[in-house]
Amino acid sequence: MTTNTTASAETTRLNFAKSAPKVFRALIGFDAAARAGLDPALVELIQIRASHLNHCAYCLHMHTNDARKAGESEDRLHMVVVWREARHFFTEREQAALALTEAVTLVADGGVPDAVYAQAAAHFGEEELAQVLALIFAINTWNRVALATKKVAGTDERV
């Protein structure tokens, strides 16, 4: 059985960037502001973990590729999904960010526990913590855009 990896015009529901250009540009600006000053490796880990949790293949493909281009190791990329069982692959700071990413992404499951927030606050100053939170908000929004419009993994228009 062969699989066609090229997306057809019927695959996506609408082109969000073309249908809502002002909103799309605002999201681009929000995303850029959120990641400003953050370690690029941390940015990708957060985006990868949120995309795992949201089952967003489009964003997961995009951000694992971006991480590879930035020099991230295959070992760490494979371990993001099971980071709690593979803590030695990640710094305490990265672990705090991953735990916060999970809590914020799954906020409907019980909010953001005080212990998770306190752990993140212990590793990030107030301004940087706000940046991390904003990045988590941004990737969750992008995941929802991709899922709602049925973006197809491997069809990243940025390249």
Side-chain angles (χ1 to χ4, degrees), residues 5-8 11-12 57-58 61 146 149-156:
T5 58
T6 305
S8 68
T11 305
T12 56
Y58 179 83
H61 183 265
T149 61
K150 291 188 105 174
K151 299 289 283 183
V152 176
T155 62
D156 181 4

Side-chain angles (χ1 to χ4, degrees), residues 29-132:
F30 178 63
D31 184 86
R35 66 180 60 226
L38 292 177
D39 173 33
L42 182 67
V43 167
E44 295 306 332
L45 291 176
I46 289 169
Q47 293 180 128
I48 289 166
R49 186 62 187 130
S51 298
H52 281 142
L53 294 168
N54 288 319
H55 304 270
C56 185
Y58 179 83
C59 293
L60 183 58
H61 183 265
M62 177 188 304
H63 294 296
T64 54
N65 280 340
D66 288 350
R68 280 184 194 96
K69 289 175 188 170
E72 188 60 78
S73 74
E74 288 298 318
D75 281 344
R76 282 174 36 105
L77 289 176
H78 292 295
M79 293 297 119
V80 173
V81 72
V82 292
W83 68 269
R84 280 187 170 78
E85 292 77 29
R87 290 180 184 266
H88 61 286
F89 282 91
F90 305 99
T91 67
E92 287 185 13
R93 180 177 162 91
E94 290 168 337
Q95 291 174 43
L98 290 168
L100 186 62
T101 300
E102 290 177 358
V104 173
T105 300
L106 303 173
V107 70
D109 293 346
V112 178
D114 289 339
V116 170
Y117 187 88
Q119 179 188 23
H123 290 280
F124 297 95
E126 194 170 294
E127 288 181 15
E128 194 173 27
L129 181 57
Q131 294 293 123
V132 168

